[in-house]
Amino acid sequence: MPSLRIFREILDYERHLNPEQLQVVMYPGGPMLVLAGAGTGKTRTLTYRVARLVERGVPKQNILLLTFTNRAAREMLHRVEVLLGEDLRGLWGGTFHHIGHLILRRHAGLLGYREGFSIIDREDQKELLETCISEVSAEERLHPRGAVLAEIVSIKNSLSADVEELIELRYPQFADTLSEIKQAIVLYEVKKRRQNLMDFDDLLINTIRLLSEHDELREFYATRFEHILVDEYQDTNLLQVKMTDMLASVHRNLMVVGDDAQSIYSFRGADVRNILNFPERYPDATIFKLTTNYRSTPDILALSNGSIIHNRMQFHKELTTVKPPGRRPVVISVRDLLQQAETVANLIERFLAEGVSAAEIAVLYRSHYQSMEVQIELQRRGIPFEVRSGLRFFEQAHIKDILSYLRILNNPYDELSWKRLLKMIPGVGQVTANRLWEVISEQSDPFQSLRCSGHMVQKRAREPFGVFVSLVDEILKLPYQQKPEEVLQYVLERGYRDYLFNTYPNAESRYEDILQLIRYTQHYMPESIPPHSKLELLLSDLSLERVDTEGEDRSTGVTLSSVHQAKGLEWERVILIGLNDGRFPSKKALFTEGEEEERRLFYVACTRAKDELFLIYTKTDNGYQQLKPSRFITELPTNLYEKIEVSDEY
């Protein structure tokens, strides 16, 4: 019989929660859909809900908390422990993969696995897939590298998609190697079973299979978990939903928390329909809405609400705020990307002069390539910044790769650049690259030495080595001193683009990075250009951009981030750049019926701002191409923002 202490309320819920949150926390049970708008206290609500269940006497081992990071689960459970003053050991909390792993460690033998199976991480998975594709593929044919093949496998699993259809829709460049890809995936599954291995997807797939094939186990776990709580439900994929539904099949006390307006990860396999269709799967579900925002001003929320209202697929909700009115969001039009970077830097300098901490300022963008000019301008002005969307622009592998072609033209004795290019040739590894470099560097004409070095590579590498030599010969004929952008364009279209798409899962964004670099190079105009020296000055400036960042304390600087990376974060001042149709929303999204997700991405970006929001679009693309402002701006009522032309003093 439970002790009286368990039923004594030790928390003053009404004092710590608003009425919307309180209703969720105190609800007795059953299927619950909690639509938690941006900045409405989702984590607080989940935390107090767990505390309430424990306080009511639900045994800790009968509660399951599913999150998208183990860290999020640990932090939530730690908060509950602080609230209740007791240990929550026994309560299952963590990611879907973590929970699947706990179940499979006990029962994987029922699926034919030997005791002590191993979990392979992404790097091991890529290596094993590369082995498989090399065993089934003809040497002379191009095929996806391990990282790309791993993404194909993961998306196939997440969407339960057919490989043939997936290649046709998402990876058309591999249509000619479809047969080898399918064989490699089959071989990959065979090798994993032989070696007693599971990858991350297997942790979900095998848990579902286990619960599907063994009714007594499904009954055991579904009976055990009296209450299940799921965070960020809008980001779930098909496997995660299936697993959750099975575990909730007995008690049906399933509370899912999320915001359909912030579903922005379809490229990872997330499906917004999981949250939109929850009431169809659970017709007796109670729907709650958290709409009181504690982050943004009414002006920022009015613009955010005015944007997301255009989406057809959604649960309608309008956020309100407890904050007093502030400044209306500002829409700024600028001439081109260079002027955009100057405007961003001017704004930041103004914020800093007003006493705003650099850590409370963010520059957000749709894609990483859009930050290049801003990075350069901030570096020139000595404004510290931290890039959260990936490496700084010129630190990225693909940028270093393509710039290596310019570096060997400018300095034929650049060892690092030569070796970087040589190791990109199929069949040429570190040892062969070292031998080739020794021969190249010893001669007065390194390029002539390169032409005579084909005998030094293995037979299988001779054809791609010959292609590389021909490419170098062709770029030597270009006016590379005065027009280095022509070299970059030539290299990109004569082989490096294929290398990108065969090597990197995010090849499209890397391709855009290089196009942006080409545009920048084309319009690069140093103050003084002596005859035949544009290439040398360009490389010197780009090198200084990298060197000047060494040792810099990035933790206290302005944040530069893609919107995807910024989800869940907030800043006092937010500057959103690159708001042009075809950029944000992206051209690909507009061709693939992805406009609504792009609008959700815009909504996420706007709701990161606490006090002030600035939206910038360019009229041209550093040249003669005219650009249109994003439809996410033009569809807004004009009374929701201020409009400023860059010609205005700002």
Side-chain angles (χ1 to χ4, degrees):
M1 182 176 178
S3 67
L4 292 176
R5 186 197 68 79
I6 292 178
F7 294 97
R8 178 173 61 86
E9 283 197 5
I10 60 176
L11 294 176
D12 187 348
Y13 293 96
E14 292 187 9
R15 186 164 70 90
H16 294 289
L17 302 169
N18 68 34
E20 293 174 338
Q21 297 167 339
L22 182 65
Q23 188 180 18
V24 173
V25 169
M26 305 303 285
Y27 199 74
M32 301 167 62
L33 172 59
V34 182
L35 299 169
T40 59
K42 168 180 67 70
T43 301
R44 186 180 192 82
T45 304
L46 267 170
T47 300
Y48 274 83
R49 175 69 176 175
V50 174
R52 177 63 178 170
L53 293 174
V54 174
E55 192 180 60
R56 273 176 43 199
V58 178
K60 297 164 192 171
Q61 65 269 23
N62 297 141
I63 300 173
L64 172 61
L65 174 63
L66 289 166
T67 59
F68 271 81
T69 67
N70 287 318
R71 178 182 177 184
R74 286 194 300 269
E75 289 179 352
M76 266 189 252
L77 295 180
H78 175 69
R79 289 194 198 182
V80 177
E81 288 178 335
V82 171
L83 288 173
L84 296 178
E86 61 178 283
D87 193 335
L88 288 185
R89 211 168 302 170
L91 190 154
W92 281 33
T95 65
F96 294 88
H97 297 88
H98 174 69
I99 300 304
H101 177 228
L102 291 178
I103 294 173
L104 289 169
R105 278 296 171 200
R106 301 179 180 190
H107 311 291
L110 295 173
L111 299 178
Y113 285 87
R114 300 185 297 278
E115 187 176 349
F117 67 85
S118 298
I119 301 173
I120 55 174
D121 61 19
R122 294 299 184 195
E123 286 303 314
D124 292 335
Q125 182 187 31
K126 289 189 292 185
E127 187 175 335
L128 184 56
L129 282 165
E130 289 213 348
T131 299
C132 294
I133 196 73
S134 67
E135 290 183 17
V136 303
S137 178
E139 289 183 1
E140 68 273 9
R141 301 187 67 175
L142 287 174
H143 51 74
R145 299 288 298 273
V148 179
L149 197 51
E151 183 185 64
I152 292 172
V153 169
S154 184
I155 293 176
K156 176 188 82 70
N157 291 333
S158 297
L159 301 178
S160 294
D162 176 74
V163 175
E164 189 167 345
E165 184 179 351
L166 187 60
I167 295 298
E168 180 183 350
L169 293 176
R170 295 203 184 194
Y171 306 91
Q173 69 271 23
F174 298 131
D176 292 341
T177 55
L178 174 62
S179 175
E180 287 98 328
I181 290 172
K182 292 168 75 172
Q183 292 176 57
I185 292 174
V186 171
L187 181 58
Y188 172 64
E189 296 298 330
V190 170
K191 285 181 179 288
K192 282 191 298 177
R193 292 306 297 262
R194 284 178 183 167
Q195 298 174 39
N196 208 33
L197 304 174
M198 290 192 201
D199 61 28
F200 291 149
D201 291 335
D202 290 329
L203 296 176
L204 302 183
I205 293 169
N206 286 331
T207 299
I208 292 169
R209 184 181 155 209
L210 186 73
L211 299 177
S212 298
E213 296 177 1
H214 298 275
D215 294 343
E216 71 285 357
L217 278 180
R218 183 175 67 253
E219 188 78 13
F220 171 79
Y221 283 105
T223 301
R224 170 177 180 160
F225 296 126
E226 185 179 338
H227 285 270
I228 299 176
L229 304 90
V230 185
D231 190 19
E232 303 286 7
Y233 195 72
Q234 78 279 350
D235 295 333
T236 54
N237 61 33
L238 183 61
L239 295 176
Q240 291 159 338
V241 166
K242 282 184 178 179
M243 176 176 157
T244 304
D245 287 347
M246 285 181 171
L247 294 175
S249 60
V250 172
H251 296 291
R252 301 182 79 255
N253 291 320
L254 173 61
M255 182 176 109
V256 301
V257 182
D259 183 7
D260 55 292
Q262 297 186 75
S263 180
I264 58 174
Y265 295 117
S266 64
F267 64 94
R268 295 181 186 170
D271 192 338
V272 69
R273 291 174 297 183
N274 292 338
I275 190 168
L276 292 175
N277 296 340
F278 187 84
E280 294 180 18
R281 296 205 322 280
Y282 293 88
D284 55 336
T286 304
I287 300 177
F288 303 85
K289 294 182 180 181
L290 304 183
T291 59
T292 304
N293 178 284
Y294 292 90
R295 176 187 300 151
S296 305
T297 64
D299 314 85
I300 292 171
L301 289 185
L303 183 139
S304 303
N305 289 330
S307 172
I308 201 66
I309 194 67
H310 291 276
N311 270 10
R312 182 178 55 84
M313 294 176 55
Q314 65 169 311
F315 291 108
H316 178 69
K317 56 187 174 301
E318 191 158 325
L319 300 186
T320 58
T321 183
V322 297
K323 296 182 71 169
R327 181 178 186 178
R328 280 188 300 166
V330 180
V331 173
I332 305 175
S333 65
V334 297
R335 182 185 63 248
D336 55 23
L337 298 172
L338 298 177
Q339 204 164 62
Q340 175 177 254
E342 292 172 0
T343 302
V344 168
N346 290 340
L347 282 169
I348 292 172
E349 287 182 336
R350 196 195 84 190
F351 300 157
L352 295 174
E354 292 172 351
V356 179
S357 166
E360 282 291 343
I361 303 170
V363 181
L364 305 182
Y365 34 83
R366 171 64 179 82
S367 301
H368 187 52
Y369 76 87
Q370 294 174 307
S371 70
M372 189 190 78
E373 288 85 359
V374 173
Q375 290 189 41
I376 292 174
E377 186 64 23
L378 296 185
Q379 189 62 44
R380 283 177 177 165
R381 299 198 191 192
I383 300 173
F385 63 92
E386 173 189 8
V387 180
R388 291 197 179 180
S389 53
L391 294 171
R392 292 197 176 205
F393 191 86
F394 296 107
E395 295 172 351
Q396 300 175 101
H398 54 293
I399 298 298
K400 288 184 175 181
D401 284 347
I402 202 159
L403 285 177
S404 290
Y405 285 96
L406 294 184
R407 294 187 190 283
I408 64 168
L409 294 176
N410 184 62
N411 174 16
Y413 297 95
D414 184 332
E415 177 180 356
L416 293 178
S417 295
W418 270 113
K419 287 184 176 179
R420 187 175 195 95
L421 295 175
L422 292 169
K423 286 188 290 185
M424 287 164 53
I425 301 171
V428 175
Q430 184 68 53
V431 174
T432 304
N434 289 342
R435 289 205 310 265
L436 287 167
W437 164 247
E438 288 177 8
V439 173
I440 291 171
S441 62
E442 288 175 355
Q443 305 301 318
S444 59
D445 184 350
F447 297 110
Q448 180 59 33
S449 299
L450 176 71
R451 299 182 191 104
C452 302
S453 302
H455 65 284
M456 298 181 63
V457 301
Q458 295 181 13
K459 185 177 180 181
R460 66 188 182 94
R462 287 179 186 170
E463 182 178 344
F465 180 80
V467 172
F468 172 70
V469 173
S470 297
L471 177 61
V472 172
D473 281 340
E474 289 301 315
I475 62 177
L476 282 168
K477 300 174 185 176
L478 298 174
Y480 57 84
Q481 289 286 2
Q482 307 97 318
K483 296 183 178 181
E485 62 274 8
E486 292 190 11
V487 174
L488 298 176
Q489 188 71 51
Y490 191 90
V491 169
L492 180 63
E493 300 304 332
R494 298 300 194 281
Y496 193 74
R497 184 182 185 279
D498 290 338
Y499 176 84
L500 279 178
F501 281 89
N502 290 331
T503 305
Y504 299 110
N506 60 341
E508 191 165 327
S509 66
R510 292 176 187 259
Y511 181 69
E512 289 289 348
D513 285 347
I514 295 173
L515 291 181
Q516 191 71 358
L517 174 64
I518 292 171
R519 288 191 286 265
Y520 176 79
T521 302
Q522 182 179 1
H523 296 279
Y524 170 77
M525 293 292 291
E527 293 181 5
S528 172
I529 308 181
H532 310 298
S533 66
K534 179 179 177 179
L535 172 62
E536 184 177 355
L537 290 172
L538 172 73
L539 291 175
S540 297
D541 280 354
L542 298 186
S543 296
L544 288 173
E545 295 297 338
R546 291 208 310 273
V547 172
D548 286 348
T549 65
E550 293 179 4
E552 181 181 290
D553 181 5
R554 301 185 185 183
S555 62
T556 58
V558 173
T559 297
L560 271 60
S561 176
S562 69
V563 182
H564 285 102
Q565 291 290 331
K567 186 173 177 289
L569 303 175
E570 59 183 38
W571 296 269
E572 287 182 20
R573 311 286 172 89
V574 169
I575 307 169
L576 182 57
I577 65 173
L579 283 167
N580 292 95
D581 255 19
R583 307 292 171 82
F584 196 169
S586 70
K587 187 182 300 183
K588 181 179 179 181
L590 296 178
F591 281 115
T592 57
E593 299 182 352
E595 182 179 327
E596 292 212 349
E597 179 160 336
E598 291 288 295
R599 189 175 285 105
R600 294 195 293 268
L601 194 62
F602 178 74
Y603 175 84
V604 168
C606 293
T607 54
R608 298 312 94 198
K610 293 191 283 187
D611 297 327
E612 292 191 28
L613 174 65
F614 299 83
L615 310 173
I616 304 181
Y617 69 90
T618 63
K619 296 175 183 176
T620 67
D621 186 17
N622 279 7
Y624 300 107
Q625 181 186 359
Q626 296 295 312
L627 299 177
K628 295 180 180 179
S630 170
R631 63 194 62 194
F632 302 150
I633 292 177
T634 57
E635 70 191 10
L636 289 169
T638 55
N639 66 314
L640 295 179
Y641 59 84
E642 298 177 31
K643 179 69 184 294
I644 291 179
E645 297 286 338
V646 77
S647 56
D648 296 342
E649 259 330 293
Y650 203 74

